[in-house]
Amino acid sequence: MSNDTDYHQFIDNEEGWVDRRIFWEEEIYERELKQIFAKSWQFIAHDSMIPNANDFYTTYMGEDGVIGARQKDGSVRVFLNSCPHRGNKFCFADEGNARSFICNYHGWSFGIDGKLGALANEHVYDEGDIDKEKWSPKQARVETYKGLIFATFDPEAPSLDEWLGDFRWYLDMMFDNDGETEFIDGGIKSYVNANWKFGVENFIGDAYHALWNHDSGLKAMNNGEGFGPAVTENSYHASVNGHGWEFGTDGYADVVIGGSEKWLNYVRDIIKPKIKDKYGELRSNIFGSLASVSLFPNISFLPGIQTFRVWLPRGPKKLELRVFTIVNKNMPEEIKQEINNACMMTFNPAGVLEMDDGENWEGNTQVNKGFLTRQEKLHYGCGITREIEHEELPGIIYKGQFNDANQRHFYTRWADLMNADSWNDVPTRYTPRHTKTSK
Amino acid sequence: MTNLSEKSAVPASMELTFEVEQFLYKEARLLDTEEFHAWLDILTEDIHYWMPYRYQRYRKNHVEPTVNHMAYYNDDMHNLKRRVLRNDTGTCWSEDPATRSSHVISNIEVEHTDNPDEYTVYSLTTVNRNMNEDEEHLMVGHRTDVLRRVDGQLKLAKRKIILDQNIFMNKSLNVFL
């Protein structure tokens, strides 16, 4: 693909299709690393994962390995995990606590702030051979939203608040419904031989698959009882800047999936009343209903089930899934463990729902090795005429959570960023109600 | 390391070791042949089936996982029955065609415990999983079990599995290890 490729050619929101080549072609993937992952705000860690000074967690932004580290002043720095001398990683742990990192190859050391410090056998360098400030690993911009630490390597990117935009109206239901949140200790990492976008787009709007694909999983968790019929009334897709939340406005479907009565009661008696007090009736009704969420480009979570995950790209045909459980800090320990167990039973590689998802996404991806197969389009036309204005719900709103709307808007945002030479080229495609934009 | 009590220091007899080995081989066969209800029958009602998460840490930062951390499995009998129920629903699409798996159980060691009816059993489980057209996955786990003698028969009362893999290398863990 040349640089003057128009990436909107790969999606059509009038006819409702997506070109399969975006899930397969190496050139498109390389462009994603540059245009999506080198520019977007991405999830690094939850505050609770690195609570103390010198705590660190290693992850990836695109395929760039990074370290997120808590500083002595409580701030977080994020920097490349690659020694500027010959390039080796200088931290090989997933997490821990360290005052410094020392590269195995020649013994160059780096402070917890990421700055180059002492070199082993430093006397072999003459005065003036190296400017340590200049030869320190590249640092990212870091901002947090309600305990979630984000970073971007793009100095020109809009602020995190603007990036999230009116999606914060929805996020607060999850990340500020009763005080601060935290992650349960540990996490599960796994590989799926699928394009990263298939995980994201599933969580962004695909309520539809749950009824069919997860019938066995829900029956396992719910005493043999499956989902009710697909109700298209009083449920919605909401899209803001490529982020998407699909949801109902009543019921407890996403809590029932966890199969814990104690957690169900806690949602009914504690969480929902708190949300009602703080944010009003509508959002109190949304929380716990059949719902799923993704943040552009690669973060997802399920309110009520409480799984939180990132889909790290590993080439166009493989992703690394990192799974966490999110709870409120002030919940009784017993409820936290009910949630953790319910979450693990359903959404990790051994989860009774998750086990079915990976199969689909690998199939979606791997069939495209067929040259003719990947010239065929994929249908994204469900609910294409159902866009509405809603007096309370911000963002681009579609009626009926069984819909491809959030997916279509995710791919529109994807194409906007794939095309953009600068942030001025990236349109704001919704009408903000709660967010000031710089343009 | 825990101190071995006097009883656990007494070596298990060849007879007991043979009985335990046969129990583990039979269990492996029930899992390979998907006889999950028969498998549930050889577990105690208070079974704890646990496979904690795994992270790579520096030696000085070692953390021993607890049941309050994330886990692949942290199941009691109720949850294990749920997993078996999933396979019985008739709508478990990803298991039809069926997964083909082989459990190779080795490195079996038996120790007495302070409870005369319970034994600590160490073993290595090596599972080859073949599924769909041509997908093959290898999973190797270190198991620490507690076997309990109930009405003369051995049953599995506790299992802890530590997988070698740091990143789980497959899309799904759809076999018991």
Short mmCIF file of all heavy atoms in Angstrom, two decimals, chain A residues 31 47 63 74 93-94 115 121 127 184 199 225-226 275 295 299 301 323 337 348 368 382 393 400 403 420:
data_model
loop_
_atom_site.label_atom_id
_atom_site.label_comp_id
_atom_site.label_asym_id
_atom_site.label_seq_id
_atom_site.Cartn_x
_atom_site.Cartn_y
_atom_site.Cartn_z
N ARG A 31 1.35 -0.38 8.46
CA ARG A 31 0.76 0.97 8.51
C ARG A 31 0.00 1.18 9.84
O ARG A 31 0.00 2.26 10.41
CB ARG A 31 -0.17 1.14 7.30
CG ARG A 31 -0.89 2.46 7.22
CD ARG A 31 -0.13 3.49 6.41
NE ARG A 31 -0.85 4.76 6.36
CZ ARG A 31 -0.30 5.91 6.03
NH1 ARG A 31 0.99 5.97 5.70
NH2 ARG A 31 -1.01 7.01 6.01
N ASP A 47 -3.66 1.71 38.05
CA ASP A 47 -2.90 2.27 39.18
C ASP A 47 -2.58 1.22 40.24
O ASP A 47 -1.50 1.21 40.82
CB ASP A 47 -3.71 3.40 39.85
CG ASP A 47 -3.34 4.77 39.30
OD1 ASP A 47 -2.18 4.93 38.84
OD2 ASP A 47 -4.19 5.68 39.32
N GLU A 63 3.86 -3.09 18.79
CA GLU A 63 4.86 -4.12 19.09
C GLU A 63 6.06 -3.53 19.81
O GLU A 63 7.10 -4.17 19.93
CB GLU A 63 5.27 -4.84 17.80
CG GLU A 63 4.08 -5.55 17.14
CD GLU A 63 4.39 -6.98 16.70
OE1 GLU A 63 5.09 -7.71 17.43
OE2 GLU A 63 3.92 -7.34 15.61
N GLY A 74 5.06 9.61 42.89
CA GLY A 74 3.72 9.07 42.66
C GLY A 74 3.29 9.09 41.20
O GLY A 74 2.32 8.44 40.82
N ALA A 93 11.23 -8.99 33.06
CA ALA A 93 10.18 -9.42 33.98
C ALA A 93 8.85 -8.81 33.56
O ALA A 93 8.81 -7.73 32.96
CB ALA A 93 10.52 -9.02 35.40
N ASP A 94 7.74 -9.49 33.89
CA ASP A 94 6.41 -8.94 33.62
C ASP A 94 6.08 -7.82 34.59
O ASP A 94 5.39 -6.88 34.22
CB ASP A 94 5.35 -10.04 33.75
CG ASP A 94 5.52 -11.10 32.69
OD1 ASP A 94 5.82 -10.74 31.54
OD2 ASP A 94 5.35 -12.30 33.01
N LYS A 115 15.91 6.89 32.77
CA LYS A 115 17.09 7.63 32.29
C LYS A 115 18.35 6.80 32.42
O LYS A 115 18.55 6.09 33.42
CB LYS A 115 17.23 8.94 33.06
CG LYS A 115 16.09 9.88 32.71
CD LYS A 115 16.41 11.31 33.04
CE LYS A 115 15.25 12.19 32.56
NZ LYS A 115 14.99 13.28 33.47
N ASN A 121 31.99 -0.73 33.65
CA ASN A 121 33.32 -0.39 33.13
C ASN A 121 33.30 0.93 32.35
O ASN A 121 33.79 1.01 31.22
CB ASN A 121 33.85 -1.52 32.24
CG ASN A 121 34.06 -2.79 33.05
OD1 ASN A 121 34.79 -2.78 34.03
ND2 ASN A 121 33.37 -3.85 32.66
N GLU A 127 35.74 11.05 27.98
CA GLU A 127 34.93 12.24 28.19
C GLU A 127 34.35 12.69 26.85
O GLU A 127 35.09 12.78 25.86
CB GLU A 127 35.84 13.35 28.78
CG GLU A 127 35.14 14.61 29.20
CD GLU A 127 34.42 14.45 30.53
OE1 GLU A 127 34.92 13.71 31.39
OE2 GLU A 127 33.34 15.06 30.67
N ILE A 184 -7.68 -7.21 40.53
CA ILE A 184 -7.26 -8.36 41.32
C ILE A 184 -5.81 -8.67 40.94
O ILE A 184 -5.43 -8.54 39.78
CB ILE A 184 -8.17 -9.57 41.01
CG1 ILE A 184 -9.63 -9.27 41.40
CG2 ILE A 184 -7.65 -10.85 41.66
CD1 ILE A 184 -9.93 -9.26 42.88
N GLY A 199 -10.94 -9.23 18.13
CA GLY A 199 -11.28 -9.19 19.55
C GLY A 199 -11.95 -7.88 19.91
O GLY A 199 -12.97 -7.84 20.59
N GLU A 225 -30.05 -22.60 31.95
CA GLU A 225 -30.94 -21.68 31.24
C GLU A 225 -30.13 -20.76 30.32
O GLU A 225 -29.13 -20.17 30.74
CB GLU A 225 -31.69 -20.83 32.27
CG GLU A 225 -33.00 -20.28 31.76
CD GLU A 225 -33.71 -19.47 32.85
OE1 GLU A 225 -33.82 -19.99 33.98
OE2 GLU A 225 -34.12 -18.34 32.55
N GLY A 226 -30.57 -20.64 29.06
CA GLY A 226 -29.85 -19.81 28.09
C GLY A 226 -30.32 -18.37 28.10
O GLY A 226 -31.10 -17.95 28.97
N ILE A 275 -25.10 4.33 41.49
CA ILE A 275 -25.06 4.93 40.14
C ILE A 275 -26.26 5.86 39.97
O ILE A 275 -26.14 6.95 39.41
CB ILE A 275 -25.05 3.84 39.04
CG1 ILE A 275 -23.77 2.99 39.14
CG2 ILE A 275 -25.15 4.47 37.66
CD1 ILE A 275 -23.70 1.86 38.15
N LEU A 295 -12.53 0.28 23.96
CA LEU A 295 -11.93 1.59 23.75
C LEU A 295 -10.97 1.46 22.58
O LEU A 295 -10.17 0.52 22.54
CB LEU A 295 -11.15 2.03 24.99
CG LEU A 295 -11.96 2.49 26.19
CD1 LEU A 295 -11.06 2.67 27.40
CD2 LEU A 295 -12.66 3.79 25.87
N ILE A 299 -8.62 -1.91 23.81
CA ILE A 299 -8.98 -2.22 25.20
C ILE A 299 -10.44 -2.65 25.23
O ILE A 299 -11.26 -2.05 24.54
CB ILE A 299 -8.86 -0.95 26.08
CG1 ILE A 299 -7.46 -0.35 25.97
CG2 ILE A 299 -9.25 -1.23 27.52
CD1 ILE A 299 -7.40 1.11 26.40
N PHE A 301 -13.79 -4.29 27.95
CA PHE A 301 -14.24 -4.75 29.27
C PHE A 301 -15.72 -5.05 29.23
O PHE A 301 -16.42 -4.67 28.30
CB PHE A 301 -13.89 -3.75 30.37
CG PHE A 301 -14.49 -2.38 30.20
CD1 PHE A 301 -15.75 -2.08 30.70
CD2 PHE A 301 -13.78 -1.38 29.54
CE1 PHE A 301 -16.30 -0.81 30.55
CE2 PHE A 301 -14.32 -0.10 29.39
CZ PHE A 301 -15.59 0.18 29.89
N VAL A 323 -5.62 -10.49 30.27
CA VAL A 323 -6.91 -10.46 30.94
C VAL A 323 -6.74 -10.13 32.42
O VAL A 323 -5.85 -10.67 33.08
CB VAL A 323 -7.61 -11.84 30.82
CG1 VAL A 323 -8.96 -11.83 31.51
CG2 VAL A 323 -7.78 -12.24 29.37
N GLN A 337 -13.80 -11.65 45.69
CA GLN A 337 -13.45 -13.02 45.29
C GLN A 337 -14.57 -13.70 44.52
O GLN A 337 -14.32 -14.49 43.61
CB GLN A 337 -13.03 -13.85 46.51
CG GLN A 337 -11.66 -13.46 47.05
CD GLN A 337 -10.60 -13.36 45.95
OE1 GLN A 337 -10.51 -14.22 45.08
NE2 GLN A 337 -9.82 -12.29 45.97
N ASN A 348 -11.50 -16.26 30.66
CA ASN A 348 -10.05 -16.38 30.48
C ASN A 348 -9.92 -17.55 29.51
O ASN A 348 -10.93 -18.11 29.09
CB ASN A 348 -9.33 -16.52 31.84
CG ASN A 348 -9.28 -17.93 32.38
OD1 ASN A 348 -8.80 -18.84 31.70
ND2 ASN A 348 -9.73 -18.13 33.60
N ASN A 368 -8.32 -16.29 5.47
CA ASN A 368 -7.88 -15.30 4.48
C ASN A 368 -6.57 -15.66 3.80
O ASN A 368 -6.10 -14.92 2.94
CB ASN A 368 -7.78 -13.92 5.13
CG ASN A 368 -9.16 -13.42 5.54
OD1 ASN A 368 -10.09 -13.43 4.74
ND2 ASN A 368 -9.29 -13.03 6.79
N CYS A 382 -25.92 -4.79 9.66
CA CYS A 382 -27.02 -4.94 10.61
C CYS A 382 -27.39 -3.57 11.22
O CYS A 382 -26.52 -2.86 11.74
CB CYS A 382 -26.66 -5.92 11.72
SG CYS A 382 -28.05 -6.27 12.82
N LEU A 393 -28.34 10.18 25.85
CA LEU A 393 -27.13 9.43 25.49
C LEU A 393 -26.25 10.23 24.54
O LEU A 393 -26.67 10.58 23.45
CB LEU A 393 -27.53 8.10 24.80
CG LEU A 393 -28.38 7.13 25.61
CD1 LEU A 393 -28.87 5.99 24.72
CD2 LEU A 393 -27.59 6.57 26.79
N GLY A 400 -31.18 -0.42 19.23
CA GLY A 400 -31.06 -1.88 19.15
C GLY A 400 -29.61 -2.30 19.33
O GLY A 400 -28.75 -1.95 18.53
N ASN A 403 -26.67 -5.03 16.38
CA ASN A 403 -26.36 -3.97 15.45
C ASN A 403 -24.88 -4.08 15.10
O ASN A 403 -24.09 -4.58 15.91
CB ASN A 403 -26.63 -2.62 16.15
CG ASN A 403 -27.03 -1.54 15.19
OD1 ASN A 403 -26.39 -1.35 14.16
ND2 ASN A 403 -28.10 -0.83 15.52
N ALA A 420 -4.50 9.74 8.16
CA ALA A 420 -4.15 11.09 8.61
C ALA A 420 -2.65 11.38 8.57
O ALA A 420 -1.85 10.60 9.08
CB ALA A 420 -4.67 11.29 10.04
#
